Each structure stands twice: as C-alpha cells, then as structure tokens.
Amino acid sequence: SLQYQPQISCLTGVTTGFETLMRWNNKKHGEIQPDIFVPLLEETGLIYSVGEWVVSQAVDFIRVNNIKDVIFSINLSALQCNDLTFVNYVRNTIASSGIDPSQIEFEITESLLIKDFDKTKLLLDEMHSIGCTIALDDFGTGYTSMNYLARLPIDIIKIDKALVHKIDVNNNLRSIVMAIVTMSDGLGIRNIFEGVETMAVLAVIKKMGGEVIQGFLFSKPLSAHNAVKWLDSVDTAKHA
C-alpha cells in the first residue's frame, strides 16, 4: 500500500507536497520495513512492475481527488534508473490522466549517481522533459560532487534528518546546514528539511531561510483516506 507524508512551506504553513511511501503489511509477519522488502523487489525484478504501480496510484490519487498545486514525490531505485521504458510509462500515464506533470516528482539518492552517473542523468533528463521535477534525497550524508548538481536537472535537495535532528543545539551542524541552504539558493534549487520533530529545530530552520519541512512535528505518513482529510482540513483553514 501507499502512504503519504505531508511537506509544509516554512513561510506560509501551506502543504506543498507529499512524499509517497510504500508500505507492506504481511499477513504472516506483520509490517515489513522498506529497507527489507525493496531489496527483495529489486532482486526478484518485481521493482519494475511495482514502480509502475506506484506511479499509477499516485497519479490516480491526484486525478480522482482533483488535487491542484500539490507535488507528490516518488522514490526511484537503482534498477529503475537503468530502465528508459519507465520514462515512457510515466509519460503515457500522466498524459492520459490529464494532471499537471509538475505534480509528479522523482527522488534519487546520492548513491545512484555514483553507481552509474551517465544512465541516471539520461533518465532524469527525460523525466524533466516530461515536466516532472527531480529531488536529490538524503543530501549531506553521502559523497555528492558539486559537479553533479551542475550537470543534473535537480530542482530540490532534501537535507537529511541526520543533519537536521540537532541543529538547534549543535553549532557545527547548524553551520553545515546553513552552507547547504546558501548553496541551494545560489543554484536556484529549492530545499526540503527532513525529520523535523521539534519546534526548536523548526525555529532554526525558519531563521536560516529554509523553504519546506517534512517530519513528525507536523505529521507521520498518512493513509490515502487521511491524506485527503488532511488536504480538506488545510483548505478549510485557508478559507475560514
């Protein structure tokens, strides 16, 4: 099944997007963590069909609920980045739905760039040509070269929760994150802060000019039903 975790604008408090997350509730073993079942999907080759299913579910969710101006991000695996037929599936699915392509975003991790930069770049360029946005996940914990940011169509960097978690009490972390924000501003790349759990951390993020936040302070991942209720409550609040 899919769950959706809200992403909130620091400036306005408006929900700007959701991260689309896969969950597996197995009848025998209960909740299976993604770091266990995603490698199994890759090993068996099921990642291709499941990846298409995730796209179709997210697109249908947007279409059926007539959601506007909200982005839904989808994580890509290494195998999907080597599969250009996936691009055609995304293009056709979005075109037939009638939704705005910019409402679908694809997230890649830094490790994918290291494994096969050229193939990943080709796929991301194709996705960008459709109108989808691209996010670089877990930024600050890997080995991203600034050269990658210059050569890839990256719209958003997601600052990893390992850097965010204690920026209210750790000066070194705060300086590192501030440097990332300054860099992203200079490159015209938006930033999302992951793992925001306290008001103290939120206050620091706002002070340094952070743009979007995601974390338990606002909401855990929501079921499709509760994501719709979340958007309805936000919309009601805006017009109250």
Side-chain angles (χ1 to χ4, degrees):
S1 63
L2 295 181
Q3 292 187 349
Y4 304 91
Q5 187 169 27
Q7 298 170 334
I8 314 295
S9 167
C10 279
L11 186 62
T12 65
V14 170
T15 299
T16 62
F18 290 89
E19 181 174 1
T20 305
L21 300 161
M22 280 195 295
R23 295 291 183 261
W24 182 17
N25 190 357
N26 183 274
K27 291 181 179 180
K28 182 178 179 180
H29 301 289
E31 288 286 342
I32 311 296
Q33 294 300 309
D35 59 353
I36 294 175
F37 72 75
V38 171
L40 291 175
L41 291 175
E42 292 179 331
E43 184 180 332
T44 58
L46 288 170
I47 193 66
Y48 299 111
S49 56
V50 171
E52 292 180 355
W53 174 80
V54 172
V55 171
S56 68
Q57 290 290 301
V59 168
D60 280 348
F61 185 71
I62 296 168
R63 179 186 59 80
V64 169
N65 295 288
N66 195 30
I67 298 171
K68 307 293 184 185
D69 304 319
V70 177
I71 295 172
F72 287 73
S73 65
I74 297 169
N75 293 280
L76 288 178
S77 79
L79 291 180
Q80 286 174 293
C81 286
N82 290 328
D83 180 23
L84 289 179
T85 61
F86 181 60
V87 176
N88 292 328
Y89 180 84
V90 171
R91 180 184 289 110
N92 293 336
T93 302
I94 290 175
S96 63
S97 73
I99 72 165
D100 187 335
S102 66
Q103 287 186 267
I104 297 296
E105 176 179 290
F106 290 98
E107 292 189 22
I108 60 165
T109 60
E110 297 182 59
S111 60
L112 295 185
L113 303 179
I114 297 169
K115 287 180 180 178
D116 197 330
F117 177 83
D118 291 333
K119 282 187 177 180
T120 301
K121 181 180 185 310
L122 181 59
L123 182 131
L124 297 185
D125 285 340
E126 289 292 323
M127 291 295 194
H128 222 237
S129 71
I130 296 171
C132 300
T133 52
I134 307 298
L136 181 57
D137 197 13
D138 301 335
F139 190 85
T141 60
Y143 305 95
T144 296
S145 164
M146 296 303 104
N147 186 41
Y148 289 158
L149 294 178
R151 295 171 61 192
L152 292 170
I154 303 296
D155 303 290
I156 297 163
I157 55 173
K158 299 189 72 177
I159 302 171
D160 191 79
K161 61 184 178 183
L163 295 178
V164 174
H165 184 55
K166 293 186 177 180
I167 56 173
D168 57 322
V169 294
N170 187 312
N171 290 333
N172 288 337
L173 282 179
R174 189 158 57 245
S175 296
I176 291 169
V177 173
M178 186 68 240
I180 294 173
V181 171
T182 301
M183 178 201 66
S184 68
D185 287 344
L187 292 171
I189 297 174
R190 288 173 286 152
N191 57 69
I192 293 179
F193 285 73
E194 298 184 286
V196 180
E197 298 181 359
T198 68
M199 291 299 295
V201 166
L202 176 60
V204 174
I205 293 171
K206 286 184 174 180
K207 188 174 181 179
M208 64 175 57
E211 295 180 71
V212 177
I213 45 181
Q214 176 180 341
F216 289 179
L217 177 62
F218 287 91
S219 177
K220 294 182 178 182
L222 304 169
S223 67
H225 174 73
N226 286 333
V228 172
K229 288 177 64 177
W230 173 277
L231 287 173
D232 286 344
S233 66
V234 169
D235 194 53
T236 299
K238 281 194 296 184
H239 294 93

